[in-house]
Amino acid sequence: MSDILDKYKWMGPIIQKMDRDIKRIFMKNFRMRDKNFFPEGDYKADVKNLVNCMLCPNMCRFDCGTLQAANSETMSPAYKARIGYYLTIGKIDPLDPSNKEFIDLMYKCSNEESCKVWCPFEFSVVSLLETVRDDLNDKGVMPDYCKEQIKKLKKTNTIEDHNIYETYKEKGIENIETDGKDDVYYYIGCESMKFPEVVKANIEILKKAGVKFSTNLEKKVCCGGPAFNIRDLKIAKELANKNKELIENTGAKVVVSDCPGCIETLSTRYQKAGIEIDVKFIHIVQYIKDLIDNGKINFEREIPSEYKKVAIHDPCLLARNLNDTESIRAILNKVPGIEIIEPIYNKQYTHCCGWSGTVHWAEKNIAIKEATNRINELKETGASVFISACPECELGLAYGISENDKEKIKIIDVSELLMKVI
Amino acid sequence: MNLENFELIYKENRVKIKDKAKIKSKLGEIVGNENVSDKEIDILAYNKDTTLITLNWTLEGKIAALPDFIVWPETPEQISSILRLANEEKIPVIPFSEGSGVVGGAIPIYGGIILDMKKFNKILEINDKDLTVTCEAGINGMNLERYLNAKGYTGGHIPQSLYTSSVGGWIAHRAAGQFSSKYGKIEDIVMGMELVLPQGDIIKFKTIARASTGPQLDKLFIGNEGTLGIVTKATLKIWPYPEKRALISYAFPTFEDSLEATRQILRQQIYPAVIRIYDADETNRHFGHIEKAKDKVMVVFVCEGIERLVDLEETITRETCEKNNGIYCGEAPVEHWFETRFKVTETSSTPTFKIVADTIEIGFLWDKAADMYHSVIEATKKIQGVMMMTAHVSHFYPNGVGFYFTFAGIPPKEKTDFEFYQEVWNCVVKTVLDMGGTISHHHGIGLNRAQWMPVEWGKSFDTLKSIKKLLDPNNILNPGKVYESAWKEGGRN
Ligand SMILES: Cc1cc2nc3c(=O)[nH]c(=O)nc-3n(C[C@H](O)[C@H](O)[C@H](O)COP(=O)(O)OP(=O)(O)OC[C@H]3O[C@@H](n4cnc5c(N)ncnc54)[C@H](O)[C@@H]3O)c2cc1C
Ligand code: SF4
Ligand code: SF4
């Protein structure tokens, strides 16, 4: 109540001047505000902010990845919030099977949080939708495509049908078991296992720089990011605890990962779930940048001509959640002879690959369209090598490349580029 | 069916579509099945625009209106075929872009087909020598402006709804941006257009700096509010991105002083891109933290362009303000304006207190501008329930100004929200019309202002209606707007 009073301080004189009858009605509306529109109930949804969002003129719509992909009001941020509100207060019944599409809408976010950049309330829509998902889960109406992921997480500890970490041998990835005295733990993301060249490059770079580190692929499990998105906090916490043990066993004080999503989950999301791990979590680009700055990595080779002109695709989680847009640039700027071309939407204003949230399960075509939109923005730079630092981006963006462009366009990780010059 | 849980405001006089499946399949043949929907989740999303009272409805679980279909065409030819089908079947077609209109223009009051223009979102060409950009009409304003900025230009059309409106919507409503004293309003900016007429003909107005080739028909379509044609493509003026910006602000002891200073500035042919006068109430609301401005009238200016010109404009602007009792307040208030100008939060809070609010922007010549302001404020403050009636002056010409009133109030017990809303509007409009002003400066007519068109236009309104009849004999394109008065709240008007 006190924050509301503060915000509307300028209304003081106005209220004083009101005639008596109107003042009475106004005060009643003020008192009854919660009861009228934020009724108490057995829900976790953040109804106040859902209302703030649903009554906003969609001021972030121009930058919302799913809306720009779908080109439909249905996908607009304020409408998502509106449906979230109606599902919460029961105006739309989540238990009625004919309302499945309204429930699905609660998962049609790509989590890039571009909305938050522009939002006058400084929230992201997905952060509100997650609170609606909590209630949907409590009511037992989690969509099947989410249940599917949870099933996989339970069965394989990853979001694949098999434990993807077990494939390391066939992919030629070296496993380095910890002796409990590591300086660094290289935390390989599940999705990164689909890009063995990236993992191998990172291992090679860390070795070249003489870092004492481990990978522990035999015991490795998913960070739980997908479970946090789906809001199955039980399985998310189980995975978090496994990770805590794994990390603590290495003795490392620094955990680096090739996946910004893993870093975000291991640090911020674990903390919110009450799981504290007393180490520093950083994306590997930041660590590599420091290694270069400290003279631990030297550039020894000419950059091959086909990699001379590159465009940077900032992964949204790295740029906006981990607030690091400089490391990639600092590394690339040191590469002799390279020309970096920035896309129009870059750094904190980067656009999503489509693969970061839950929309790629809920409506894959929208995620693919987001990827296509992003590829088109990157193509506009005139470069045909796109540098990223996130396995999800590399996975997602690949869906956006047309058959014609498949030969021409290369999407590679910073580490892969580095391997060509060090 | 969920939507039965919601009270539908416009439920009478809906078009009766005998065979919906047939129409859906025909629409599918035109645009592809993936580009047609009659799903509840989609039709609910298109029930309204951003007319403020509809936000109260949304919170209370009311639906303004429901379309029968949404279509997402991608080419003018598809639009043409949709309109031909709609004429055959006598089904209304309502163009919809970003839905930020505040006069109900895109509300499908009789049902029918919402034609969403969002897929017309490509930027086709920038011509540096001609200083033009050609784009499809559904493109979002901010996405166009960001693109132009990245290439070293500005479009100069920066409405407060930049983030949430489209080029087609601007043209439809004869919109005006915040930087308009320098760059002009949308009618000064549009140089060429492609449109689809109500019966399906595709017409083009070529891009030219000026022509003397008979009446300039293109102007008829700027402000047509989606009733005479659907804009599919436009060529707009652009400008090199300003080299310098000067931020200037003054607090004036009276509203009259502030008007006089700005009038004199324009009379000297000095055109700051932004000029905004805030009356004392709005000054306290927006600039409460600026001590020198307390209870005064704040005026902010932005001069921009090449450095030498900006310096001169700044000098003359400052001299003129000082001559008219202005107290210099520095750059901070203008910086504050820049920081907050797109942070719209009031629309989210007022409905939760059951406050009925709206904005009314009107136009006046200089001669009566100050009188008009005082008359509107005095007249509306007498209405029981009006808590707040304030104004800023947002648009300036050597000959006149555009005022932007904001009101908020609580209806007394015996009145519905709608009756109260209507009473305030009637009072403002009557005052403005009696004193010779215009009832809309840039938001347009749409649904809620159509009731006053016969008075606003006088006899020439018949001519306008004849043109509508000629171009749209079946009244297919956006019926219930501009030419006829259909504004109401569910049977209670
Ligand atoms: C917060 C806020 C601030 C605003 N600030 C300003 C401002 O500073 N200046 C200003 O002028 N307005 C302002 N507006 C009003 C609004 O943004 C404008 O009227 C805008 O031009 C509407 O564009 P839109 O794309 O959202 O159109 P919509 O709301 O989708 O449609 C508006 C009307 O145009 C028709 N239409 C839409 N697209 C086309 C097309 N391609 N061809 C033909 N007809 C079409 C529709 O049928 C409807 O009648 C503001 C609104 C809000 C909510
Ligand atoms: S996220 Fe913020 S800016 Fe976007 S629609 Fe919601 S309230 Fe508006
Ligand atoms: S998180 Fe992304 S997809 Fe979701 S509303 Fe925000 S910008 Fe749109």
Side-chain angles (χ1 to χ4, degrees), chain A residues 49-62 64 76-79 81 114-126 128, chain B residues 163 342 344-345 347-348:
Chain A
N49 280 324
L50 284 167
V51 166
N52 278 332
C53 188
M54 81 177 192
L55 300 178
C56 166
N58 257 320
M59 292 304 273
C60 60
R61 66 184 305 142
F62 63 96
C64 168
S76 71
Y79 188 64
S114 288
C115 39
K116 194 173 173 179
V117 175
W118 310 99
C119 179
F121 301 101
E122 295 175 3
F123 52 58
S124 71
V125 178
V126 66
L128 307 181
Chain B
Y163 292 0
F342 297 128
V344 178
T345 56
T347 60
S348 300

Side-chain angles (χ1 to χ4, degrees), chain A residues 52 73-74 79 86 99 380, chain B residues 2 41-42 58 118 147 348:
Chain A
N52 278 332
E73 283 304 298
T74 311
Y79 188 64
Y86 290 158
N99 291 337
E380 230 227 2
Chain B
N2 291 293
I41 193 163
D42 292 321
T58 296
K118 284 194 214 9
Y147 186 86
S348 300

Side-chain angles (χ1 to χ4, degrees), chain A residues 80 109 133 144 167 182 199 227 242 258-259 261 273 276 295 311 332 349 372 381 392 394 416 422:
Chain A
K80 287 177 184 165
C109 248
R133 292 176 201 166
D144 287 344
T167 61
D182 290 320
V199 177
K242 285 182 192 166
D258 41 32
C259 173
E276 300 273 349
L332 293 182
Y349 304 110
T372 311
T381 60
E392 303 252 32
E394 282 158 45
E416 287 172 284
I422 61 173

Side-chain angles (χ1 to χ4, degrees), chain B residues 101-114:
Chain B
V102 286
V103 290
I107 301 180
I109 57 171
Y110 304 131
I113 302 167
I114 287 265

Side-chain angles (χ1 to χ4, degrees), chain A residues 21-36:
Chain A
D21 290 345
I22 299 297
K23 197 190 281 183
R24 204 174 297 135
I25 303 174
F26 177 74
M27 293 319 285
K28 187 173 153 220
N29 293 351
F30 195 87
R31 273 197 318 276
M32 299 292 286
R33 183 171 177 253
D34 284 8
K35 194 154 178 253
N36 284 339

